[in-house]
């Protein structure tokens, strides 16, 4: 299928409906995603957002699009300044540490890197130029505190993304913090005049001595890399207002053009019904979970397997189910490597075609990963039955192995599967002893041997064709 024939549709926050995806340039997608504020380790709620974006990108690539992905790193804002002051180290040294940690985390989660990761502190001249344009055009003004504010009431379509009502705007109400009240439209800071609390963090510019606000960085850096209008902009629902609303106001007022065609927002990861957030203290970082012995790929699976527009609760049971799901997929691929039965007479091919239609159709439909995964597990069950009956030939199994690899380009959870090698004699003897115990229905002994083998890193699986085994991942 070529990109022009694709049937991908997305729920666009801007229009509150599903729309067929048509990029500005055929076969190419320009996409911007709001990245982390590097003042601490990201928590797994943040990674839910980054994993949804990874799935989106992988799916577009699967459908043949060439994606250009830009993700900013917010290395200057109220929180990073406070953090560096607390540790009494320069801002750059402080944020470098968390940038490095972020890259380590996304690698562990098998998130494909963006094409560029612009850091806000490296694009201050671009932000200054944008603010100057907004002032020249009458959208921005200098407050009595010396900071420059965006005049929300000058931009008639302010509120079109988040449905915030500007009519309720109090005259002159303005806000200088980066994050502010969710319910009110207010004039927001584009440029913050230096105050003693900023310490040595400032730039001397045509706008005066100070630093940029949070929202202007994403307008400046997205347009720098992707142009004045681009295809997709993503972020969590908490970014919709004020951050994304402000990005639209800044960019569209400056250029007079539509900023972004498709806005995609992921819902939150919750803990006991409440948004996982640093502010509520109810968060786990990836590192917290790795320290408890969880495999990052299991965490990846859990975080990406619920539809992105649905909230869901993080639980440890959820991680256990994710672990079993991955094991099931890996075992399946392992079995395919070993298959050498009779030809299924097109049954295998029919199941494979059905999978491609169902898996692809669901992901085309606003990335419906839940249905896509359900169709994958139906397929695994059906082929496993054929394998049990020794009805999959070597060639058919090889074709299915290729299909699973293709699907894993999208999921990123199977990876390279270790195929069985000959067992060392002592372990082989234990496996045989357990089989005898099972035949004799001596379940207690069979279980004890299974546990003993597990201790040696060997995991047994009882299948219709007898015992299978694999080495547990270290
Ligand atoms: P931040 O570092 O706070 O700017 O957040 C980075 C990304 O994570 C943004 O897209 C947020 O909207 C998103 N995010 C924050 N908390 C959650 C959560 N609990 N669940 C899902 N996404 C989140
Ligand atoms: Zn942003």
């Amino acid at each position: 299928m070529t990109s022009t024939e694709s049937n991908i549709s997305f729920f666009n926050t801007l229009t509150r409906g599903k729309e067929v995806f048509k990029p500005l340039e055929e076969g190419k997608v320009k996409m911007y995603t709001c990245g982390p504020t590097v003042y601490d380790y990201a928590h797994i709620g943040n990674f839910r957002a980054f994993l949804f974006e990874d799935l989106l990108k992988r799916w577009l690539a699967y459908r043949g699009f060439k994606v250009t992905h830009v993700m900013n790193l917010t290395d200057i804002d109220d929180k990073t300044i406070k953090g560096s002051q607390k540790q009494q180290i320069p801002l750059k040294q402080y944020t470098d540490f968390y940038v490095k940690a972020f890259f380590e985390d996304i690698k562990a989660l098998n998130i494909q890197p963006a094409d560029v990761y612009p850091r806000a502190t490296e694009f201050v001249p671009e932000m200054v130029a944008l603010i100057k344009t907004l002032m020249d055009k009458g959208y921005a003004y200098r407050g009595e505190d010396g900071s420059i504010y965006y005049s929300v009431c000058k931009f008639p379509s302010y509120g079109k993304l988040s449905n915030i009502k500007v009519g309720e705007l109090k005259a002159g109400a303005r806000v200088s913090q980066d994050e502010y009240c969710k319910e009110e439209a207010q004039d927001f800071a584009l440029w913050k005049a230096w105050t003693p609390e900023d310490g040595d963090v400032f730039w001397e510019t045509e706008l005066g001595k100070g630093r940029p606000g949070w929202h202007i960085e994403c307008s400046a850096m997205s347009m720098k890399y992707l142009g004045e209008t681009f295809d997709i902009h993503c972020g969590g629902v908490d970014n919709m207002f004020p951050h994304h609303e402000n990005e639209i106001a800044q960019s569209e007022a400056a250029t007079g053009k539509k900023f972004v065609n498709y806005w995609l927002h992921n819902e939150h990861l919750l803990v006991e019904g409440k948004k996982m957030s640093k502010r509520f203290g109810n968060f786990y970082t990836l590192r917290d979970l790795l320290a408890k012995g969880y495999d990052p790929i299991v965490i990846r699976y859990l975080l990406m397997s619920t539809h992105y527009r649905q909230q869901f609760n993080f639980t440890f049971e959820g991680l256990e189910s994710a672990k079993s799901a991955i094991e099931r997929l890996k075992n399946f691929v392992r079995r395919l490597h070993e298959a050498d039965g009779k030809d299924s007479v097109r049954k295998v091919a029919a199941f494979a075609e059905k999978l491609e239609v169902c898996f692809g159709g669901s992901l085309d439909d606003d990335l419906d990963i839940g249905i896509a995964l359900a169709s994958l597990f139906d397929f695994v069950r059906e082929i496993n039955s054929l394998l049990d009956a020794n009805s999959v030939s070597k060639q058919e199994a090889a074709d299915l192995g290729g299909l699973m690899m293709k699907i894993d380009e999208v999921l990123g959870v199977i990876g390279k599967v270790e195929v069985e090698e000959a067992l060392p004699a002592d372990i082989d003897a234990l496996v045989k002893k357990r089989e005898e115990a099972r035949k004799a229905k001596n379940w207690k002994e069979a279980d004890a041997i299974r546990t003993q083998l597990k201790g040696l890193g060997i995991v047994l699986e009882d299948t219709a064709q007898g015992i299978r085994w694999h080495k547990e991942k270290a």
Side-chain angles (χ1 to χ4, degrees):
M1 186 186 279
T2 70
S3 54
T4 38
E5 292 163 352
S6 98
N7 285 322
I8 299 182
S9 65
F10 295 128
F11 182 90
N12 189 351
T13 309
L14 202 57
T15 55
R16 296 279 186 293
K18 264 189 210 172
E19 291 173 21
V20 173
F21 175 65
K22 284 206 178 66
L24 287 162
E25 204 181 323
E26 198 185 305
K28 295 191 178 158
V29 180
K30 293 194 166 88
M31 149 172 169
Y32 185 87
T33 61
C34 289
T37 308
V38 283
Y39 73 108
D40 200 346
Y41 297 111
H43 60 65
I44 56 166
N46 301 134
F47 286 119
R48 183 186 188 195
F50 304 140
L51 279 163
F52 141 62
E53 290 151 3
D54 188 51
L55 179 65
L56 168 64
K57 205 164 97 176
R58 285 169 179 257
W59 185 244
L60 288 165
Y62 183 98
R63 283 299 192 217
F65 290 102
K66 161 99 188 60
V67 182
T68 306
H69 176 204
V70 179
M71 177 183 268
N72 68 305
L73 300 172
T74 301
D75 62 350
I76 163 116
D77 80 324
D78 301 346
K79 289 187 281 196
T80 47
I81 294 178
K82 240 188 229 138
S84 69
Q85 287 172 345
K86 213 163 146 200
Q87 286 195 11
Q88 300 183 320
I89 54 173
L91 182 68
K92 170 109 172 67
Q93 189 185 340
Y94 179 78
T95 56
D96 274 352
F97 177 85
Y98 291 110
V99 167
K100 188 166 164 276
F102 173 70
F103 287 135
E104 285 165 6
D105 288 356
I106 59 169
K107 188 157 183 238
L109 288 167
N110 198 18
I111 291 178
Q112 291 181 343
D115 295 273
V116 251
Y117 290 99
R119 293 173 67 138
T121 49
E122 288 167 10
F123 293 85
V124 174
E126 284 79 357
M127 297 183 222
V128 168
L130 191 54
I131 297 169
K132 276 181 62 194
T133 305
L134 290 172
M135 290 185 90
D136 292 346
K137 291 190 161 189
Y139 289 97
Y141 63 93
R142 198 178 286 276
E144 62 278 2
D145 59 354
S147 293
I148 298 169
Y149 291 89
Y150 188 99
S151 180
V152 164
C153 63
K154 295 266 169 61
F155 186 67
S157 57
Y158 191 85
K160 66 180 169 187
L161 182 73
S162 59
N163 280 344
I164 205 103
K165 289 181 189 65
V166 184
E168 292 159 13
L169 178 68
K170 294 184 211 100
R174 59 178 172 246
V175 59
S176 61
Q177 300 103 298
D178 288 322
E179 288 178 282
Y180 56 90
C181 170
K182 307 274 176 236
E183 281 83 37
E184 270 180 42
Q186 298 180 70
D187 290 358
F188 58 91
L190 296 166
W191 182 258
K192 302 184 187 200
W194 182 84
T195 63
E197 291 92 76
D198 290 338
D200 59 0
V201 180
F202 62 82
W203 282 260
E204 292 278 10
T205 73
E206 290 169 69
L207 303 174
K209 176 177 171 177
R211 63 179 168 105
W214 172 35
H215 315 293
I216 198 74
E217 72 172 88
C218 285
S219 283
M221 298 192 292
S222 60
M223 293 198 292
K224 161 123 190 156
Y225 284 102
L226 302 174
E228 291 177 337
T229 306
F230 56 92
D231 298 298
I232 299 179
H233 194 314
C234 305
V237 283
D238 55 317
N239 275 348
M240 203 189 293
F241 182 84
H243 185 51
H244 292 162
E245 194 70 63
N246 292 351
E247 278 186 46
I248 293 177
Q250 294 163 159
S251 302
E252 296 193 354
T255 66
K257 295 180 190 153
K258 189 175 184 188
F259 178 43
V260 170
N261 283 336
Y262 301 85
W263 284 89
L264 272 60
H265 289 102
N266 65 278
E267 260 300 343
H268 285 145
L269 179 68
L270 312 178
V271 181
E272 287 164 5
K274 204 167 164 186
K275 177 190 171 192
M276 179 178 286
S277 150
K278 291 269 161 63
R279 205 173 330 148
F280 304 138
N282 60 350
F283 65 91
Y284 291 97
T285 63
L286 177 65
R287 282 141 205 266
D288 293 335
L289 297 180
L290 300 187
K292 286 180 188 287
Y294 288 98
D295 179 342
I297 298 303
V298 169
I299 300 163
R300 172 184 174 90
Y301 186 99
L302 176 69
L303 294 176
M304 86 172 183
S305 54
T306 297
H307 187 256
Y308 75 97
R309 283 192 295 114
Q310 229 174 295
Q311 296 184 331
F312 83 98
N313 267 306
F314 168 76
T315 61
F316 286 94
E317 295 83 71
L319 279 178
E320 291 306 323
S321 325
K323 187 174 172 199
S324 315
I326 296 177
E327 267 310 300
R328 209 164 142 65
L329 294 175
K330 284 188 185 254
N331 284 336
F332 176 63
V333 172
R334 234 174 250 126
R335 287 192 79 182
L336 291 176
H337 279 296
E338 290 159 7
D340 192 8
K342 52 185 184 303
D343 196 278
S344 75
V345 198
R346 273 213 49 86
K347 271 194 199 141
V348 160
F351 282 131
E353 280 155 25
K354 186 171 140 201
L355 174 66
E356 286 198 270
V357 170
C358 295
F359 186 85
S362 339
L363 287 171
D364 279 345
D365 180 13
D366 193 30
L367 287 186
D368 199 336
I369 185 74
I371 301 196
L373 287 174
S375 67
L376 177 61
F377 283 102
D378 281 350
F379 165 80
V380 167
R381 193 167 24 78
E382 279 148 352
I383 301 293
N384 267 334
S385 307
L386 289 176
L387 287 164
D388 289 347
N390 209 23
S391 298
V392 179
S393 71
K394 221 176 172 51
Q395 181 57 52
E396 286 176 321
D399 293 345
L400 292 181
L403 175 60
M404 290 301 286
M405 271 171 73
K406 204 170 139 202
I407 282 183
D408 199 42
E409 278 294 303
V410 181
L411 301 179
V413 294
I414 303 175
K416 200 169 172 306
V417 171
E418 306 272 316
V419 185
E420 291 176 18
E421 33 185 285
L423 276 176
D426 49 341
I427 297 182
D428 191 42
L430 276 173
V431 173
K432 290 210 171 87
K433 203 168 150 203
R434 180 175 173 272
E435 243 177 310
E436 276 158 28
R438 266 168 47 87
K439 272 189 201 137
K441 299 205 184 331
N442 185 351
W443 308 121
K444 208 166 157 200
E445 189 184 346
D447 281 351
I449 300 174
R450 179 195 280 269
T451 310
Q452 192 184 350
L453 284 164
K454 192 154 196 293
L456 296 167
I458 302 293
V459 179
L460 296 181
E461 205 199 332
D462 298 314
T463 73
Q465 291 165 314
I467 309 290
R468 301 185 64 259
W469 66 273
H470 65 267
K471 282 190 180 146
E472 198 164 45
K473 222 177 130 207

Short mmCIF file of all heavy atoms in Angstrom, two decimals, residues 32-35 72 74 214-215 217-218 233 239 243-244 247, ligand 2:
data_model
loop_
_atom_site.label_atom_id
_atom_site.label_comp_id
_atom_site.label_asym_id
_atom_site.label_seq_id
_atom_site.Cartn_x
_atom_site.Cartn_y
_atom_site.Cartn_z
N TYR A 32 5.78 17.11 15.70
CA TYR A 32 6.43 17.73 16.86
C TYR A 32 5.77 17.20 18.13
O TYR A 32 4.54 17.17 18.23
CB TYR A 32 6.26 19.25 16.81
CG TYR A 32 7.01 19.99 17.90
CD1 TYR A 32 8.34 20.37 17.73
CD2 TYR A 32 6.38 20.32 19.09
CE1 TYR A 32 9.03 21.05 18.73
CE2 TYR A 32 7.06 21.00 20.10
CZ TYR A 32 8.38 21.36 19.91
OH TYR A 32 9.07 22.04 20.88
N THR A 33 6.59 16.79 19.08
CA THR A 33 6.03 16.29 20.33
C THR A 33 6.71 17.01 21.49
O THR A 33 7.93 17.18 21.49
CB THR A 33 6.24 14.77 20.46
OG1 THR A 33 7.63 14.49 20.45
CG2 THR A 33 5.57 14.00 19.33
N CYS A 34 5.91 17.47 22.46
CA CYS A 34 6.49 18.19 23.60
C CYS A 34 7.30 17.21 24.45
O CYS A 34 6.78 16.18 24.88
CB CYS A 34 5.39 18.82 24.44
SG CYS A 34 4.63 20.20 23.59
N GLY A 35 8.53 17.54 24.66
CA GLY A 35 9.43 16.64 25.38
C GLY A 35 9.46 16.91 26.87
O GLY A 35 8.65 17.68 27.39
N ASN A 72 11.34 18.62 21.73
CA ASN A 72 12.13 19.62 22.47
C ASN A 72 12.53 19.09 23.84
O ASN A 72 11.89 18.19 24.39
CB ASN A 72 11.32 20.90 22.65
CG ASN A 72 10.15 20.68 23.57
OD1 ASN A 72 9.34 19.78 23.33
ND2 ASN A 72 10.06 21.45 24.63
N THR A 74 12.90 20.82 27.46
CA THR A 74 12.72 22.07 28.21
C THR A 74 13.79 22.13 29.29
O THR A 74 13.65 21.49 30.34
CB THR A 74 11.30 22.14 28.82
OG1 THR A 74 10.36 22.05 27.75
CG2 THR A 74 11.08 23.43 29.58
N TRP A 214 7.86 29.53 28.97
CA TRP A 214 7.87 28.13 28.53
C TRP A 214 7.24 27.96 27.14
O TRP A 214 7.77 27.26 26.28
CB TRP A 214 7.13 27.28 29.57
CG TRP A 214 6.87 25.86 29.18
CD1 TRP A 214 7.68 25.04 28.44
CD2 TRP A 214 5.72 25.07 29.51
NE1 TRP A 214 7.12 23.79 28.31
CE2 TRP A 214 5.91 23.79 28.95
CE3 TRP A 214 4.56 25.32 30.24
CZ2 TRP A 214 4.96 22.76 29.10
CZ3 TRP A 214 3.63 24.29 30.38
CH2 TRP A 214 3.83 23.04 29.81
N HIS A 215 6.09 28.63 26.91
CA HIS A 215 5.30 28.33 25.71
C HIS A 215 6.00 28.73 24.42
O HIS A 215 5.86 28.06 23.40
CB HIS A 215 3.94 29.01 25.82
CG HIS A 215 3.33 28.82 27.16
ND1 HIS A 215 2.92 27.58 27.61
CD2 HIS A 215 3.11 29.69 28.19
CE1 HIS A 215 2.46 27.70 28.84
NE2 HIS A 215 2.56 28.96 29.22
N GLU A 217 9.01 28.57 23.53
CA GLU A 217 10.07 27.69 23.02
C GLU A 217 9.52 26.70 22.00
O GLU A 217 10.14 26.43 20.97
CB GLU A 217 10.78 26.93 24.16
CG GLU A 217 9.95 25.85 24.80
CD GLU A 217 10.73 24.99 25.79
OE1 GLU A 217 10.81 25.34 26.97
OE2 GLU A 217 11.26 23.97 25.35
N CYS A 218 8.32 26.16 22.28
CA CYS A 218 7.79 25.14 21.36
C CYS A 218 7.36 25.76 20.03
O CYS A 218 7.52 25.15 18.98
CB CYS A 218 6.64 24.36 22.01
SG CYS A 218 7.27 23.19 23.23
N HIS A 233 1.01 17.45 15.95
CA HIS A 233 1.58 17.91 17.21
C HIS A 233 0.95 17.06 18.31
O HIS A 233 -0.27 16.91 18.35
CB HIS A 233 1.25 19.39 17.40
CG HIS A 233 2.06 20.07 18.48
ND1 HIS A 233 2.25 19.52 19.72
CD2 HIS A 233 2.71 21.27 18.49
CE1 HIS A 233 2.99 20.36 20.45
NE2 HIS A 233 3.29 21.42 19.74
N ASN A 239 -1.32 19.19 28.60
CA ASN A 239 -0.63 20.24 27.83
C ASN A 239 -1.56 21.04 26.92
O ASN A 239 -1.17 22.05 26.35
CB ASN A 239 0.47 19.61 26.96
CG ASN A 239 1.76 19.42 27.73
OD1 ASN A 239 1.91 19.95 28.82
ND2 ASN A 239 2.68 18.67 27.16
N HIS A 243 -0.63 25.26 27.53
CA HIS A 243 0.57 25.22 26.70
C HIS A 243 0.28 25.20 25.19
O HIS A 243 0.76 26.05 24.45
CB HIS A 243 1.42 24.02 27.12
CG HIS A 243 2.74 23.94 26.44
ND1 HIS A 243 3.62 25.00 26.38
CD2 HIS A 243 3.34 22.93 25.73
CE1 HIS A 243 4.70 24.65 25.69
NE2 HIS A 243 4.54 23.40 25.28
N HIS A 244 -0.53 24.25 24.75
CA HIS A 244 -0.75 24.16 23.30
C HIS A 244 -1.63 25.30 22.77
O HIS A 244 -1.44 25.76 21.64
CB HIS A 244 -1.34 22.79 22.95
CG HIS A 244 -0.37 21.67 23.19
ND1 HIS A 244 -0.76 20.35 23.30
CD2 HIS A 244 0.98 21.67 23.35
CE1 HIS A 244 0.32 19.59 23.51
NE2 HIS A 244 1.38 20.38 23.55
N GLU A 247 0.71 28.00 22.26
CA GLU A 247 1.56 27.78 21.07
C GLU A 247 0.82 28.21 19.81
O GLU A 247 1.39 28.87 18.93
CB GLU A 247 1.91 26.29 20.94
CG GLU A 247 3.07 25.84 21.79
CD GLU A 247 3.44 24.39 21.48
OE1 GLU A 247 3.54 24.03 20.29
OE2 GLU A 247 3.61 23.61 22.42
ZN1 LIG B 2 5.61 22.10 24.15
#
